[in-house]
Amino acid sequence: MEMDTQVTVHDAMTSNVITVDPKTSVAEAATIMSQKGIGCLIIKSNSEPEGLITESDIITKVVSRDIQASQITVAEVMTSDLIEIDPGSEVYEAARTMAKNKIRRLPVVNNGSLVGILTSTDVMTVSPELTELLVENARMSHTMDYSDRGTSVPGTCEVCETYVDYLEEVDGKYVCEECKEELEGE
């Protein structure tokens, strides 16, 4: 007799979700994330999540635009078109949803109420076989458009995958100085 060993979202999710009110300043949100050692906050004013703000949102929507974080609310920069998942769904389904939508976090909602959050790390912890699916998603989600910026930006080299303070665009890819020299030498 074979037992069903499917892991559900409820089994893998974090149920102690840190939330903030939409009127919270981005500076306060960043402080909470830093103190709690987390990468995102769910925004809600009642039981249903209204949005989500991540470290990346703060960097791309506030810091890179030189906006004072204490003068802007999380409601102004949060991602509001949330993709949610039911706690009874299988983790495999959650991983496919994350990969398909190029996201790393899913609010877990049951009958309109936030009951948890599922991250790509949670998925990899309970189902290591899904790692390849999520790693590919992470590669795709870290490509950013810096076309309106100067010639050099910080980030992960698209060739050697090393994080450096200065990337330069070569043939449509952002690369470190070492890889730039190799690409230009070809």
Side-chain angles (χ1 to χ4, degrees):
M1 179 160 103
E2 190 175 307
M3 289 179 50
D4 184 15
T5 59
Q6 295 300 326
V7 179
T8 66
V9 168
H10 181 268
D11 297 330
M13 72 181 193
T14 300
S15 56
N16 185 19
V17 183
I18 309 298
T19 64
V20 294
D21 185 84
K23 296 178 188 135
T24 304
S25 75
V26 171
E28 291 174 77
T31 299
I32 292 167
M33 284 190 250
S34 178
Q35 289 172 344
K36 302 285 184 184
I38 56 176
C40 78
L41 294 169
I42 299 288
I43 315 309
K44 70 176 198 161
S45 54
N46 52 34
S47 63
E48 191 167 343
E50 298 172 27
L52 179 137
I53 187 167
T54 66
E55 293 167 318
S56 179
D57 290 331
I58 293 170
I59 293 168
T60 59
K61 297 176 182 177
V62 180
V63 176
S64 70
R65 294 182 180 155
D66 200 22
I67 298 171
Q68 192 169 3
S70 61
Q71 302 300 312
I72 189 167
T73 66
V74 292
E76 295 174 77
V77 296
M78 71 183 183
T79 300
S80 57
D81 54 342
L82 293 179
I83 298 169
E84 303 168 348
I85 196 154
D86 184 88
S89 300
E90 292 181 12
V91 169
Y92 179 77
E93 178 186 338
R96 287 180 50 96
T97 299
M98 287 178 185
K100 177 182 170 192
N101 293 288
K102 299 177 184 167
I103 57 176
R104 296 182 313 178
R105 300 165 179 94
L106 287 171
V108 183
V109 178
N110 189 22
N111 297 323
S113 292
L114 179 69
V115 295
I117 188 164
L118 183 73
T119 67
S120 55
T121 303
D122 296 331
V123 171
M124 288 188 288
T125 300
V126 298
S127 295
E129 68 276 7
L130 298 176
T131 300
E132 188 175 322
L133 178 66
L134 293 171
V135 166
E136 186 59 31
N137 171 36
R139 281 192 188 123
M140 293 185 309
S141 68
H142 279 91
T143 57
M144 299 178 81
D145 180 15
Y146 289 106
S147 56
D148 61 334
R149 307 231 356 192
T151 59
S152 182
V153 295
T156 303
C157 175
E158 292 182 43
V159 175
C160 69
E161 298 182 356
T162 301
Y163 182 86
V164 294
D165 290 328
Y166 302 100
L167 292 175
E168 293 192 44
E169 184 180 3
V170 177
D171 297 330
K173 291 182 180 179
Y174 286 90
V175 298
C176 66
E177 189 174 332
E178 215 173 280
C179 291
K180 176 185 175 188
E181 289 173 7
E182 289 178 21
L183 289 172
E184 289 178 339
E186 290 179 351

